Amino acid sequence: MATGTDQVVGLGLVAVSLIIFIYYTAWVILLPFIDSQHVIHKYFLPRAYAVAIPLAAGLLLLLFVGRPPYGAYQGRATQDLCRHCSPSSMAALQTPLGMKLFRTHPD
Amino acid sequence: MTKLAQWLWALALLGSAWAALTLGALDLPSSCREVLWPLPAYLLVSAGCYALATVGYRVATFHDCEDAARELQSQIQEARADLSRRGMRF
């Protein structure tokens, strides 16, 4: 078994995901079958938010997906480059396809 | 057929079934309709919850070997002392 903070963090993640799952399942699946006068509806937002909130959260998470800037490979010393890489061909490396080819370069 | 093609087929089939039912192909009671239309979002959220729970559970039950870790640390210290005695600079 893991020790100390590892266990706390791990079980915390399990608990959080369980809470989210149970609340969301009640919201989307159970609530439509419960009489609209029941008091439980007080604890849930209007139904449109059941799609809007996960959508907004997903878009927010997409903002945290990044990549290194296009000039990332320019700082390499000249002796690192193979004999095939002329200065003019380095200009072509700034494109994403160029970066991919550079990584699979034989020399 | 590639895996990508299989996934796209399944997605297209289920997606068109969902779209047809949401737009009123069959006469469904209103409560069923209310459950149906957020279903794609619901499946995504449950998949995310499952992934989070799996990661958390495996972090919590990871097999730590504290004795082996301590033994390794002391062996590293021993090696460093030995090598610096023979003149290697860290």
Side-chain angles (χ1 to χ4, degrees):
Chain A
M1 287 293 282
T3 52
T5 47
D6 280 354
Q7 245 181 342
V8 172
V9 168
L11 293 175
L13 277 180
V14 174
V16 163
S17 72
L18 218 68
I19 290 173
I20 293 178
F21 179 71
I22 291 176
Y23 184 84
Y24 200 66
T25 305
W27 198 3
V28 172
I29 306 227
L30 297 180
L31 238 48
F33 297 103
I34 298 180
D35 180 42
S36 61
Q37 304 303 325
H38 199 283
V39 71
I40 199 172
H41 285 272
K42 179 163 68 98
Y43 294 101
F44 294 92
L45 289 169
R47 208 157 167 72
Y49 287 100
V51 174
I53 292 177
L55 201 71
L59 288 174
L60 197 70
L61 278 178
L62 276 181
L63 285 176
F64 286 97
V65 174
R67 55 150 186 82
Y70 278 126
Y73 286 106
Q74 266 187 336
R76 294 182 60 165
T78 44
Q79 58 256 40
D80 285 355
L81 299 175
C82 76
R83 57 186 171 278
H84 306 295
C85 291
S86 67
S88 59
S89 70
M90 290 305 285
L93 283 176
Q94 295 211 34
T95 58
L97 186 61
M99 287 292 154
K100 195 169 190 318
L101 293 172
F102 187 67
R103 265 185 236 128
T104 57
H105 205 58
D107 285 309
Chain B
M1 197 188 270
T2 64
K3 271 293 170 204
L4 177 66
Q6 282 175 358
W7 275 85
L8 289 176
W9 258 115
L11 223 66
L13 241 57
L14 295 171
S16 52
W18 172 80
L21 286 174
T22 317
L23 296 171
L26 293 174
D27 258 331
L28 292 170
S30 79
S31 55
C32 283
R33 222 170 243 159
E34 278 209 34
V35 173
L36 191 69
W37 78 263
L39 263 191
Y42 176 75
L43 293 173
L44 282 172
V45 169
S46 347
C49 283
Y50 171 72
L52 200 67
T54 308
V55 167
Y57 178 72
R58 291 191 185 167
V59 166
T61 56
F62 192 79
H63 293 305
D64 260 349
C65 308
E66 291 200 298
D67 293 336
R70 252 176 287 136
E71 190 183 334
L72 187 63
Q73 289 295 346
S74 69
Q75 283 179 346
I76 291 173
Q77 297 302 328
E78 222 179 288
R80 286 180 77 106
D82 188 44
L83 286 170
S84 42
R85 193 167 33 87
R86 292 166 197 263
M88 179 168 162
R89 253 172 299 123
F90 288 94

